[in-house]
Amino acid sequence: MKTDETQSVRLLRVGERVRHVLSEILARGDVHDEVLASHMVSVTEVRMSPDLRHATVYVKPLLGGDEAEVLAALKKNVRYLRGEVAKRVNTKYAANLKFLLDESFDEGGKIDTLLRDPKVAQDLDEEAE
């Protein structure tokens, strides 16, 4: 009998496997695309749907440049990437890949900037005392 916990562990495990496969494909330059060849792309997270038929792939071009261009190139090459993932990840169905930009780094930067603001730092120092 499958419980919610074992199901979620399976989703995490498959998502992580898909992330590793996509990272390897992009790092090795297996996709014959000029945009992807000229950019290093980090696959930061893959979230699988409960039926494993859909994968939401969060990516971030290193150095943060040309994000829209890189995202468009990934979407253009989605059939090739889906096929490669299907070959290397042993699941019943080939998951549909949906690429999104990972905004978590930008949010972390904003929070860091706020925490370094002199007014906020002053308040934090008062709380520590």
Side-chain angles (χ1 to χ4, degrees):
M1 182 173 136
K2 288 186 180 180
T3 63
D4 288 340
E5 187 176 305
T6 58
Q7 180 71 7
S8 64
V9 169
R10 182 168 184 244
L11 292 177
L12 291 171
R13 195 173 62 239
V14 172
E16 191 62 14
R17 180 74 183 120
V18 171
R19 187 182 75 78
H20 280 281
V21 168
L22 287 171
S23 294
E24 182 181 311
I25 291 167
L26 293 171
R28 291 176 47 195
D30 291 348
V31 182
H32 301 294
D33 185 283
E34 287 181 26
V35 174
L36 296 177
S38 64
H39 292 82
M40 290 296 297
V41 180
S42 176
V43 180
T44 57
E45 183 181 4
V46 175
R47 293 184 187 161
M48 301 299 297
S49 67
D51 62 2
L52 300 176
R53 290 182 183 222
H54 302 279
T56 304
V57 182
Y58 292 91
V59 296
K60 185 75 173 173
L62 297 182
L63 304 177
D66 304 323
E67 291 178 339
E69 193 178 334
V70 168
L71 198 59
L74 288 168
K75 289 177 180 178
K76 185 175 89 176
N77 291 287
V78 73
R79 286 186 66 187
Y80 171 78
L81 293 167
R82 180 180 183 217
E84 288 299 307
V85 168
K87 285 181 202 172
R88 300 178 195 192
V89 178
N90 190 18
T91 56
K92 189 173 184 177
Y93 303 101
N96 292 316
L97 304 176
K98 178 182 176 184
F99 292 97
L100 297 175
L101 288 175
D102 187 345
E103 304 292 340
S104 62
F105 293 107
D106 299 333
E107 291 300 316
K110 288 177 188 173
I111 292 170
D112 189 49
T113 302
L114 284 172
L115 290 174
R116 293 179 190 275
D117 183 277
K119 292 178 184 174
V120 174
Q122 176 184 345
D123 290 343
L124 291 175
D125 289 340
E126 288 176 9
E127 287 179 11
E129 293 174 0

